[in-house]
Amino acid sequence: MASSEQASKKPQPDPAEDNAFFPSAYSLGEFTAPKSDLDGANYDNPYGGGRWKILVIGADERYLLTDNGTMFSTGNHPVETLLPMYHMDKAGFGFDIATVSGNPVKFEHWAMPSEDEEVKGFFRRYADQFKQPLKLSDVVADALGPDSDYIGVFIPGGHGALIGLPESEDVKAVLEWAAGNDKHVISLCHGPAAFLAAKGSGLYDGYKICAFPDSLDAQTPDMGYMPGHLTWKFGEQLKGMGFEIVNDDISGQVHQDRKLLTGDSPLAGNALGKLAAEALLKEAG
Protein backbone atom coordinates (compact mmCIF):
# COMPACT_ATOMS: atom_id res chain seq x y z
CA MET A 1 0.00 0.00 0.00
CA ALA A 2 1.32 3.45 -0.86
CA SER A 3 2.28 5.68 2.02
CA SER A 4 -0.07 8.54 2.81
CA GLU A 5 2.53 10.96 1.40
CA GLN A 6 2.42 9.17 -1.96
CA ALA A 7 -1.30 8.47 -2.00
CA SER A 8 -3.75 10.57 -3.98
CA LYS A 9 -5.72 13.34 -2.29
CA LYS A 10 -8.48 12.99 -4.89
CA PRO A 11 -11.77 11.74 -3.42
CA GLN A 12 -12.69 8.29 -4.67
CA PRO A 13 -15.95 7.93 -6.64
CA ASP A 14 -18.79 5.97 -5.08
CA PRO A 15 -20.12 3.91 -8.00
CA ALA A 16 -23.52 3.53 -6.33
CA GLU A 17 -24.51 7.20 -6.76
CA ASP A 18 -23.96 10.02 -9.25
CA ASN A 19 -21.38 12.60 -8.18
CA ALA A 20 -20.82 10.95 -4.78
CA PHE A 21 -17.42 10.23 -3.26
CA PHE A 22 -15.57 8.31 -0.59
CA PRO A 23 -12.49 9.81 1.13
CA SER A 24 -9.23 9.94 -0.79
CA ALA A 25 -6.54 7.30 -0.39
CA TYR A 26 -4.40 9.94 1.33
CA SER A 27 -7.00 10.79 3.97
CA LEU A 28 -7.81 7.13 4.59
CA GLY A 29 -4.11 6.55 5.21
CA GLU A 30 -3.97 9.48 7.60
CA PHE A 31 -7.23 9.05 9.50
CA THR A 32 -8.11 5.36 9.55
CA ALA A 33 -6.16 2.41 10.97
CA PRO A 34 -6.30 -1.37 10.56
CA LYS A 35 -6.61 -1.81 14.34
CA SER A 36 -8.47 0.29 16.86
CA ASP A 37 -7.26 1.29 20.32
CA LEU A 38 -9.89 -0.85 22.02
CA ASP A 39 -8.65 -1.54 25.53
CA GLY A 40 -9.63 -1.82 29.16
CA ALA A 41 -13.13 -3.23 28.73
CA ASN A 42 -12.85 -5.44 31.79
CA TYR A 43 -15.50 -4.65 34.40
CA ASP A 44 -15.23 -6.58 37.64
CA ASN A 45 -18.87 -6.16 38.57
CA PRO A 46 -20.91 -5.89 35.35
CA TYR A 47 -24.61 -5.18 35.51
CA GLY A 48 -26.57 -8.41 35.70
CA GLY A 49 -30.08 -7.23 36.45
CA GLY A 50 -31.43 -7.91 32.99
CA ARG A 51 -33.52 -4.76 32.75
CA TRP A 52 -31.45 -1.74 31.81
CA LYS A 53 -30.46 -1.14 28.21
CA ILE A 54 -29.30 1.69 25.97
CA LEU A 55 -31.21 3.22 23.09
CA VAL A 56 -28.87 3.69 20.12
CA ILE A 57 -29.99 6.24 17.51
CA GLY A 58 -28.17 5.49 14.25
CA ALA A 59 -27.81 7.37 10.97
CA ASP A 60 -30.10 6.14 8.21
CA GLU A 61 -28.91 8.37 5.34
CA ARG A 62 -25.70 7.93 3.38
CA TYR A 63 -25.33 10.91 1.07
CA LEU A 64 -24.45 14.35 2.45
CA LEU A 65 -24.71 17.18 -0.08
CA THR A 66 -21.75 19.59 0.01
CA ASP A 67 -21.42 23.20 -1.11
CA ASN A 68 -20.21 22.37 -4.63
CA GLY A 69 -23.00 19.94 -5.49
CA THR A 70 -21.01 16.77 -4.81
CA MET A 71 -22.10 14.28 -2.19
CA PHE A 72 -20.05 12.71 0.58
CA SER A 73 -20.70 8.98 1.05
CA THR A 74 -20.99 8.78 4.82
CA GLY A 75 -22.97 7.21 7.68
CA ASN A 76 -21.93 6.30 11.21
CA HIS A 77 -18.20 5.91 11.83
CA PRO A 78 -17.51 2.28 12.88
CA VAL A 79 -14.99 3.12 15.60
CA GLU A 80 -17.21 5.87 17.00
CA THR A 81 -20.12 3.44 17.10
CA LEU A 82 -18.63 0.10 18.06
CA LEU A 83 -16.01 1.01 20.68
CA PRO A 84 -18.44 2.82 23.01
CA MET A 85 -21.01 0.04 22.49
CA TYR A 86 -18.36 -2.62 23.18
CA HIS A 87 -17.61 -1.11 26.59
CA MET A 88 -21.27 -0.74 27.49
CA ASP A 89 -21.89 -4.33 26.39
CA LYS A 90 -18.99 -5.61 28.52
CA ALA A 91 -20.44 -3.65 31.44
CA GLY A 92 -23.58 -5.75 31.08
CA PHE A 93 -26.01 -3.49 29.21
CA GLY A 94 -28.13 -4.43 26.22
CA PHE A 95 -29.15 -2.28 23.26
CA ASP A 96 -32.13 -1.31 21.20
CA ILE A 97 -30.99 0.16 17.90
CA ALA A 98 -33.28 2.63 16.14
CA THR A 99 -33.24 5.01 13.19
CA VAL A 100 -35.59 7.87 12.38
CA SER A 101 -36.99 6.05 9.34
CA GLY A 102 -36.67 2.47 10.53
CA ASN A 103 -34.35 1.85 7.57
CA PRO A 104 -30.93 0.22 8.11
CA VAL A 105 -28.13 2.04 9.91
CA LYS A 106 -25.60 3.34 7.37
CA PHE A 107 -21.89 2.90 8.13
CA GLU A 108 -18.68 4.40 6.83
CA HIS A 109 -17.29 0.93 6.19
CA TRP A 110 -14.16 2.45 4.71
CA ALA A 111 -13.23 3.32 8.32
CA MET A 112 -13.79 -0.19 9.72
CA PRO A 113 -10.54 -1.39 11.39
CA SER A 114 -9.95 -4.24 8.94
CA GLU A 115 -7.51 -6.22 11.11
CA ASP A 116 -9.36 -5.76 14.40
CA GLU A 117 -11.16 -9.07 14.85
CA GLU A 118 -12.63 -8.08 18.23
CA VAL A 119 -14.32 -5.00 16.77
CA LYS A 120 -15.44 -6.77 13.59
CA GLY A 121 -16.80 -9.67 15.64
CA PHE A 122 -18.77 -7.26 17.80
CA PHE A 123 -20.19 -5.65 14.66
CA ARG A 124 -21.30 -9.05 13.40
CA ARG A 125 -23.09 -9.71 16.72
CA TYR A 126 -25.32 -6.70 16.19
CA ALA A 127 -25.47 -6.79 12.37
CA ASP A 128 -29.09 -7.94 12.30
CA GLN A 129 -30.17 -5.06 14.56
CA PHE A 130 -28.22 -2.57 12.45
CA LYS A 131 -29.94 -3.93 9.33
CA GLN A 132 -33.42 -4.06 10.88
CA PRO A 133 -33.56 -1.32 13.51
CA LEU A 134 -36.62 -0.05 15.31
CA LYS A 135 -38.39 3.02 13.98
CA LEU A 136 -37.69 5.85 16.39
CA SER A 137 -41.28 7.13 16.38
CA ASP A 138 -42.40 3.71 17.61
CA VAL A 139 -39.85 3.87 20.43
CA VAL A 140 -41.13 7.33 21.37
CA ALA A 141 -44.72 6.12 21.36
CA ASP A 142 -44.25 2.80 23.11
CA ALA A 143 -41.03 2.65 25.13
CA LEU A 144 -40.42 5.99 26.83
CA GLY A 145 -41.84 7.33 30.07
CA PRO A 146 -40.83 7.27 33.74
CA ASP A 147 -40.80 3.46 33.82
CA SER A 148 -38.80 2.97 30.63
CA ASP A 149 -36.13 0.26 30.55
CA TYR A 150 -33.63 2.64 28.91
CA ILE A 151 -30.89 3.80 31.23
CA GLY A 152 -29.38 6.00 28.55
CA VAL A 153 -29.22 7.09 24.92
CA PHE A 154 -26.22 6.72 22.62
CA ILE A 155 -25.88 8.75 19.39
CA PRO A 156 -22.80 7.62 17.41
CA GLY A 157 -20.68 9.96 15.32
CA GLY A 158 -19.89 10.12 11.63
CA HIS A 159 -21.09 12.80 9.22
CA GLY A 160 -24.29 10.78 8.76
CA ALA A 161 -25.48 12.27 12.05
CA LEU A 162 -25.78 15.62 10.27
CA ILE A 163 -28.55 14.28 8.01
CA GLY A 164 -32.05 14.25 9.45
CA LEU A 165 -31.24 13.92 13.15
CA PRO A 166 -30.89 17.67 13.84
CA GLU A 167 -34.41 18.30 12.48
CA SER A 168 -36.14 15.23 13.90
CA GLU A 169 -39.10 15.70 16.23
CA ASP A 170 -38.59 12.13 17.43
CA VAL A 171 -34.96 12.84 18.37
CA LYS A 172 -36.21 15.94 20.19
CA ALA A 173 -38.73 13.82 22.08
CA VAL A 174 -36.01 11.37 23.13
CA LEU A 175 -33.72 14.15 24.34
CA GLU A 176 -36.54 15.79 26.29
CA TRP A 177 -37.46 12.42 27.82
CA ALA A 178 -33.82 11.80 28.79
CA ALA A 179 -33.51 15.21 30.44
CA GLY A 180 -36.87 14.91 32.17
CA ASN A 181 -36.08 11.48 33.56
CA ASP A 182 -32.43 12.06 34.48
CA LYS A 183 -31.03 9.62 31.89
CA HIS A 184 -27.55 9.56 30.40
CA VAL A 185 -26.99 10.82 26.85
CA ILE A 186 -23.75 9.73 25.20
CA SER A 187 -22.34 11.04 21.90
CA LEU A 188 -19.13 11.97 20.11
CA CYS A 189 -17.60 13.72 17.11
CA HIS A 190 -20.49 14.75 14.79
CA GLY A 191 -23.10 12.90 16.83
CA PRO A 192 -23.84 15.98 18.99
CA ALA A 193 -25.41 17.55 15.89
CA ALA A 194 -28.47 15.56 16.96
CA PHE A 195 -28.75 17.82 20.01
CA LEU A 196 -29.86 20.56 17.61
CA ALA A 197 -33.22 18.78 17.50
CA ALA A 198 -33.85 20.39 20.92
CA LYS A 199 -33.07 23.90 19.68
CA GLY A 200 -35.27 26.51 21.34
CA SER A 201 -36.13 24.32 24.30
CA GLY A 202 -33.46 25.67 26.65
CA LEU A 203 -32.68 22.05 27.48
CA TYR A 204 -28.90 22.40 27.31
CA ASP A 205 -28.24 26.01 28.29
CA GLY A 206 -24.80 26.16 29.89
CA TYR A 207 -23.80 22.56 29.16
CA LYS A 208 -20.20 21.82 28.24
CA ILE A 209 -19.45 19.18 25.58
CA CYS A 210 -16.77 17.83 23.28
CA ALA A 211 -17.51 17.73 19.54
CA PHE A 212 -15.64 17.69 16.24
CA PRO A 213 -14.46 21.27 15.59
CA ASP A 214 -15.95 23.29 12.73
CA SER A 215 -12.43 24.54 11.96
CA LEU A 216 -11.26 21.00 11.19
CA ASP A 217 -14.33 20.22 9.10
CA ALA A 218 -13.38 23.23 6.98
CA GLN A 219 -10.01 21.60 6.22
CA THR A 220 -11.32 18.20 5.13
CA PRO A 221 -11.75 19.02 1.41
CA ASP A 222 -8.07 20.04 1.18
CA MET A 223 -7.02 16.46 1.94
CA GLY A 224 -9.79 14.85 -0.09
CA TYR A 225 -11.58 13.47 2.96
CA MET A 226 -14.75 15.17 1.73
CA PRO A 227 -15.40 16.22 -1.88
CA GLY A 228 -16.64 19.67 -0.80
CA HIS A 229 -17.31 21.82 2.24
CA LEU A 230 -20.24 21.40 4.61
CA THR A 231 -23.12 23.76 3.92
CA TRP A 232 -23.52 24.62 7.61
CA LYS A 233 -21.48 24.58 10.82
CA PHE A 234 -22.96 22.33 13.46
CA GLY A 235 -20.61 23.51 16.21
CA GLU A 236 -21.57 27.12 15.61
CA GLN A 237 -25.24 26.18 15.86
CA LEU A 238 -24.64 24.18 19.05
CA LYS A 239 -22.99 27.23 20.62
CA GLY A 240 -25.97 29.28 19.50
CA MET A 241 -28.33 27.07 21.50
CA GLY A 242 -26.34 27.39 24.71
CA PHE A 243 -23.57 24.79 24.57
CA GLU A 244 -19.93 25.47 25.34
CA ILE A 245 -17.60 23.27 23.25
CA VAL A 246 -14.53 22.65 25.40
CA ASN A 247 -12.14 21.41 22.68
CA ASP A 248 -10.77 23.23 19.65
CA ASP A 249 -8.78 20.27 18.28
CA ILE A 250 -9.00 16.48 18.38
CA SER A 251 -6.94 14.54 20.89
CA GLY A 252 -9.31 11.86 22.21
CA GLN A 253 -10.77 14.22 24.81
CA VAL A 254 -13.97 13.26 26.61
CA HIS A 255 -16.15 15.29 28.93
CA GLN A 256 -18.99 14.66 31.36
CA ASP A 257 -21.40 17.42 32.30
CA ARG A 258 -24.09 16.00 34.57
CA LYS A 259 -25.66 13.13 32.57
CA LEU A 260 -24.26 14.30 29.20
CA LEU A 261 -21.13 12.39 28.11
CA THR A 262 -19.28 13.42 24.96
CA GLY A 263 -16.05 12.89 23.01
CA ASP A 264 -14.22 14.85 20.34
CA SER A 265 -13.55 12.36 17.50
CA PRO A 266 -12.81 8.70 16.66
CA LEU A 267 -9.79 9.11 18.92
CA ALA A 268 -12.21 9.36 21.86
CA GLY A 269 -14.19 6.18 21.12
CA ASN A 270 -12.44 3.96 23.66
CA ALA A 271 -12.25 6.58 26.40
CA LEU A 272 -15.90 7.53 25.94
CA GLY A 273 -16.85 3.86 26.14
CA LYS A 274 -15.05 3.55 29.48
CA LEU A 275 -16.59 6.75 30.80
CA ALA A 276 -20.08 5.66 29.75
CA ALA A 277 -19.74 2.12 31.11
CA GLU A 278 -18.57 3.36 34.50
CA ALA A 279 -21.28 6.03 34.70
CA LEU A 280 -24.01 3.55 33.76
CA LEU A 281 -22.75 0.96 36.24
CA LYS A 282 -22.83 3.57 38.99
CA GLU A 283 -26.37 4.53 37.98
CA ALA A 284 -27.53 0.92 37.90
CA GLY A 285 -26.15 0.33 41.37
Side-chain angles (χ1 to χ4, degrees):
M1 187 180 210
S3 70
S4 59
E5 289 81 9
Q6 298 169 321
S8 172
K9 292 186 179 181
K10 187 176 180 180
Q12 303 176 83
D14 176 354
E17 181 58 67
D18 178 57
N19 211 25
F21 297 87
F22 299 114
S24 66
Y26 170 83
S27 58
L28 289 180
E30 288 287 303
F31 302 114
T32 66
K35 293 206 73 171
S36 75
D37 65 346
L38 179 64
D39 182 57
N42 301 309
Y43 299 96
D44 293 335
N45 296 294
Y47 172 68
R51 175 190 176 188
W52 294 120
K53 54 188 175 179
I54 295 103
L55 174 63
V56 180
I57 303 177
D60 57 6
E61 296 282 352
R62 181 168 303 286
Y63 295 109
L64 178 64
L65 189 66
T66 71
D67 66 338
N68 60 15
T70 60
M71 289 186 288
F72 181 42
S73 185
T74 182
N76 282 136
H77 192 290
V79 169
E80 295 172 15
T81 306
L82 300 174
L83 267 62
M85 287 181 66
Y86 186 96
H87 279 273
M88 291 184 275
D89 173 84
K90 288 293 187 182
F93 299 98
F95 303 100
D96 277 349
I97 298 171
T99 61
V100 170
S101 65
N103 292 329
V105 177
K106 304 301 190 295
F107 277 95
E108 298 172 331
H109 275 283
W110 39 262
M112 183 71 76
S114 59
E115 298 174 12
D116 200 320
E117 295 304 322
E118 197 69 20
V119 173
K120 292 197 300 179
F122 185 78
F123 173 75
R124 287 192 294 270
R125 271 184 58 194
Y126 286 95
D128 288 346
Q129 283 184 257
F130 288 128
K131 294 293 186 187
Q132 295 182 300
L134 303 173
K135 189 172 183 178
L136 191 59
S137 59
D138 293 338
V139 174
V140 171
D142 301 332
L144 300 187
D147 298 322
S148 174
D149 291 334
Y150 297 128
I151 194 171
V153 179
F154 174 47
I155 305 173
H159 282 84
L162 299 176
I163 314 170
L165 300 189
E167 301 84 29
S168 169
E169 288 296 320
D170 294 315
V171 172
K172 179 181 181 181
V174 171
L175 295 175
E176 289 178 338
W177 165 82
N181 291 275
D182 202 28
K183 303 292 186 177
H184 288 85
V185 175
I186 303 147
S187 192
L188 73 168
C189 203
H190 291 85
F195 301 161
L196 293 168
K199 187 183 294 186
S201 67
L203 206 61
Y204 295 119
D205 282 349
Y207 272 76
K208 296 181 179 181
I209 60 169
C210 289
F212 195 83
D214 289 339
S215 60
L216 296 187
D217 259 331
Q219 298 175 31
T220 57
D222 296 336
M223 60 193 74
Y225 187 86
M226 292 181 66
H229 289 90
L230 294 176
T231 58
W232 58 285
K233 298 177 180 179
F234 85 99
E236 185 178 279
Q237 292 202 21
L238 286 169
K239 292 174 185 176
M241 66 178 286
F243 282 105
E244 178 184 341
I245 298 177
V246 300
N247 61 294
D248 55 14
D249 205 338
I250 55 171
S251 62
Q253 184 176 349
V254 296
H255 188 77
Q256 180 170 358
D257 188 341
R258 288 155 277 189
K259 293 291 182 72
L260 194 59
L261 285 61
T262 52
D264 65 16
S265 68
L267 301 175
N270 194 67
L272 183 65
K274 288 182 180 180
L275 182 66
E278 290 163 358
L280 293 171
L281 284 171
K282 184 177 179 181
E283 181 74 16

